[in-house]
Amino acid sequence: MSRRVDPADEAGALVARLSAIVGSSAVLVEDADLAGYVEDWRGVYRGTARCVVLPATTEQVSAVVRACVEAGVPVVPQGGNTGLCGGSVPPAGGEGAVVLALSRMRRIRDVDPANNAIEVEAGCVLRTVQEAAAAAGRLYPVSLGAEGSCQIGGTIATNAGGTGVLRYGSTRDNVLGLEVVLPDGEVWNGLNRLRKNNTGPDLKHLFIGSEGTLGVITAATLKLHPLPTSRCVAWLAVRSPADALGVLLRFQSSCGAWLSAFEMLNAAAVDKVLRQLPDRRVPLDAAYPWHVLVELEHSGSEPALAQAMEEALGAAASAGLVDDAAIAGSVAQQEAMWMVRHSVSEAFKRDGVSVSMDTAVPVAAVPEFIGRASAAAREIVPDVEILVVSHVGDGNVHFIPFFSFDRWREREDRDALDARLRDRVNRIAHGLGGTFSAEHGVGQTHTREMALFRPAVELALLRGIKRALDPAGLFNPGRLLPPGTR
């Protein structure tokens, strides 16, 4: 059903003002046009919006924010809307927020190879940034399964992790400067390219991971790295997470900085990918209980890298840690191995309902965490299927109790069951010195956990920052901070 906007009422007056700022074609009000902006990628969260605004410049973002604040209307900044915690979906009910979508702001403003930096607008798709860096002989190392659709502003607002954290760090470690429109419409230009600037606290870190609650990121200066010229990828079969950890330690000792990724999946996760996406292939028997994808890369010779891979695998096999292994013999084979890893979210979405958790523990505690979390989940649902996808090298474990669509629909306690599983697993992670959110953010999924697991003094600091920058509480309300926080 379409909606009519009457310019005589308050909502219509705001839409008219926003249209004057960005152009009427860049303000969406019809239900059909809003659909992709008010629901998350998995279809778990759905909200309401009075309109979606698509600004083309930072100046337009500033003017839109001023108009919304003067009207007392909430603002929800949105990138590619690929998040898994509902952080970019507007709240449900009421007259609706204004969704500020930045997809038109997608310019690569400058590439500076000498300074290993690139300046981009927030609406740039991550893959576009990677390609622009590569064209200049450089690497932007943040890599995600959604890199073909997620936007840089969203990855910064959520401090996205991905598969390159082991070597290059998370998004936070790869941001040099930001341009941000604050909740009063003021523009803070912090787009410096300096590696050393000791003039007080680094303000960009207020906005990295703030999930749009403190301002709208409109541009960023990102850190680039030398572009690796050689890569070696292998797929391993191991018996347990403890054996995978043993293999990781051997690779770290023998390969050092050449080790760029170390990913682990259990057989159930691999099976979902192969069944739901039949064009995907693994080079070993999928029935092995645990699978590991390991990547080495550097700027030296390819034979040296291949030799390092073979020697590390040989040592791990001699120690009884590896049952089988396949080294990719071509770029196509490397990409096929990575395609399996990057397809897990799509496969899981097609196959059923995931109670997906984004925990992290100290690397040495990963096997213990998986064992204890599996036992706890099966105490609650004895025959539950458990999927595990882990960035073992940085301690991040996506622990996922999984249900078929029919089985999930049959349960009358879905919300309570979801809460019980999350509570038990997150408490185990916390007890091991870990966290309930490693790379996906908090959004609206984990606000309860923020209240449970973040110390009171930290929450007080976060509330104080929120009040200082957004006293009216209009920026992405109900996200990141526990309920009742403005």
Side-chain angles (χ1 to χ4, degrees):
M1 179 183 296
S2 297
R3 296 183 302 162
R4 297 178 180 273
V5 177
D6 184 353
D9 64 25
E10 289 184 10
L14 177 60
V15 168
R17 183 174 176 185
L18 297 176
S19 298
I21 294 169
V22 301
S24 58
S25 63
V27 179
L28 310 180
V29 296
E30 302 295 336
D31 288 341
D33 295 328
L34 299 180
Y37 298 91
V38 298
E39 186 173 69
D40 76 314
W41 176 77
R42 293 187 301 170
V44 175
Y45 298 104
R46 184 175 179 84
T48 56
R50 63 181 68 200
C51 65
V52 173
V53 182
L54 298 114
T57 66
T58 300
E59 292 73 24
Q60 288 183 356
V61 174
S62 174
V64 167
V65 167
R66 292 183 192 277
C68 291
V69 171
E70 289 174 12
V73 173
V75 176
V76 177
Q78 189 177 100
N81 198 23
T82 61
L84 299 177
C85 297
S88 60
V89 177
E95 295 184 6
V98 168
V99 174
L100 192 55
L102 302 180
S103 56
R104 292 176 67 202
M105 297 182 62
R106 54 180 181 266
R107 285 191 306 130
I108 304 288
R109 293 183 179 177
D110 185 46
V111 183
D112 183 359
N115 198 48
N116 284 313
I118 183 171
E119 185 178 312
V120 305
E121 292 183 337
C124 281
V125 171
L126 173 55
R127 182 171 294 157
T128 301
V129 175
Q130 294 168 339
E131 291 170 349
R138 297 293 184 269
L139 172 73
Y140 181 63
V142 177
S143 180
L144 316 171
E147 62 194 26
S149 53
C150 67
Q151 296 172 14
I152 285 295
T155 65
I156 295 171
T158 56
N159 186 33
T163 57
V165 173
L166 175 59
R167 179 170 180 178
Y168 298 102
S170 64
T171 296
R172 183 184 304 279
D173 300 298
N174 291 282
V175 175
L176 292 172
L178 293 178
E179 176 185 84
V180 180
V181 174
L182 302 174
D184 62 358
E186 189 76 21
V187 179
W188 172 60
N189 187 333
L191 290 171
N192 73 75
R193 304 181 184 187
L194 300 175
R195 298 310 200 276
K196 301 175 82 172
N197 182 6
N198 202 13
T199 55
D202 192 343
L203 294 178
K204 69 175 180 282
H205 289 295
L206 282 175
F207 304 99
I208 301 172
S210 67
E211 302 190 29
T213 61
L214 301 178
V216 185
I217 296 168
T218 51
T221 304
L222 305 173
K223 186 188 299 182
L224 301 182
H225 301 261
L227 185 66
T229 55
S230 301
R231 184 167 68 145
C232 190
V233 180
W235 191 278
L236 323 180
V238 298
R239 297 189 192 96
S240 68
D243 284 352
L245 179 61
V247 176
L248 170 65
L249 297 177
R250 279 165 172 76
F251 268 93
Q252 288 175 326
S253 297
S254 63
C255 300
W258 292 1
L259 180 61
S260 57
F262 196 93
E263 304 284 304
M264 181 178 71
L265 302 86
N266 69 349
V270 172
D271 179 67
K272 298 282 184 225
V273 174
L274 300 185
R275 285 195 298 106
Q276 291 298 324
L277 301 163
D279 60 329
R280 308 297 192 259
R281 297 286 187 274
V282 293
L284 305 177
D285 187 343
Y288 280 117
W290 293 90
H291 299 255
V292 171
L293 178 64
V294 59
E295 178 180 89
L296 305 180
E297 62 179 18
H298 71 166
S299 299
S301 69
E302 194 163 324
L305 206 62
Q307 182 179 350
M309 176 72 82
E310 291 171 0
E311 290 177 353
L313 286 177
S318 297
L321 299 173
V322 174
D323 284 348
D324 201 356
I327 299 176
S330 65
V331 172
Q333 289 179 7
Q334 293 174 351
E335 291 177 349
M337 290 180 185
W338 271 111
M339 187 62 72
V340 173
R341 171 61 185 86
H342 285 317
S343 299
V344 293
S345 294
E346 177 67 26
F348 297 172
K349 176 185 175 183
R350 293 185 183 192
D351 201 62
V353 177
S354 302
V355 182
S356 184
M357 284 167 259
D358 179 34
T359 49
V361 296
V363 173
V366 165
E368 180 181 356
F369 167 75
I370 293 173
R372 291 176 57 186
S374 299
R378 287 177 175 135
E379 285 180 9
I380 297 172
V381 184
D383 57 347
V384 68
E385 185 174 23
I386 293 173
L387 311 180
V388 176
V389 181
S390 175
H391 310 287
V392 182
D394 58 47
N396 186 185
V397 181
H398 301 296
F399 181 86
I400 307 167
F402 188 86
F403 300 84
S404 69
F405 290 117
D406 288 342
R407 189 178 182 196
W408 187 252
R409 280 192 292 265
E410 290 170 357
R411 296 197 69 105
E412 297 181 356
D413 62 340
R414 291 188 293 271
D415 290 343
L417 176 60
D418 184 288
R420 286 180 66 199
L421 287 167
R422 291 184 188 281
D423 185 70
R424 288 289 300 277
V425 172
N426 287 328
R427 287 184 186 278
I428 292 168
H430 182 72
L432 291 170
T435 178
F436 58 86
S437 177
E439 63 175 358
H440 292 165
V442 175
Q444 52 185 305
T445 302
H446 298 304
T447 54
R448 175 181 174 274
E449 283 79 5
M450 287 288 283
L452 285 173
F453 299 117
R454 290 294 295 268
V457 65
E458 290 184 8
L459 290 175
L461 287 169
L462 292 173
R463 290 185 177 106
I465 294 168
K466 174 70 170 174
R467 286 193 297 268
L469 293 179
D470 182 24
L474 294 176
F475 263 56
N476 214 8
R479 308 298 179 257
L480 184 62
L481 292 171
T485 302
R486 291 185 57 181

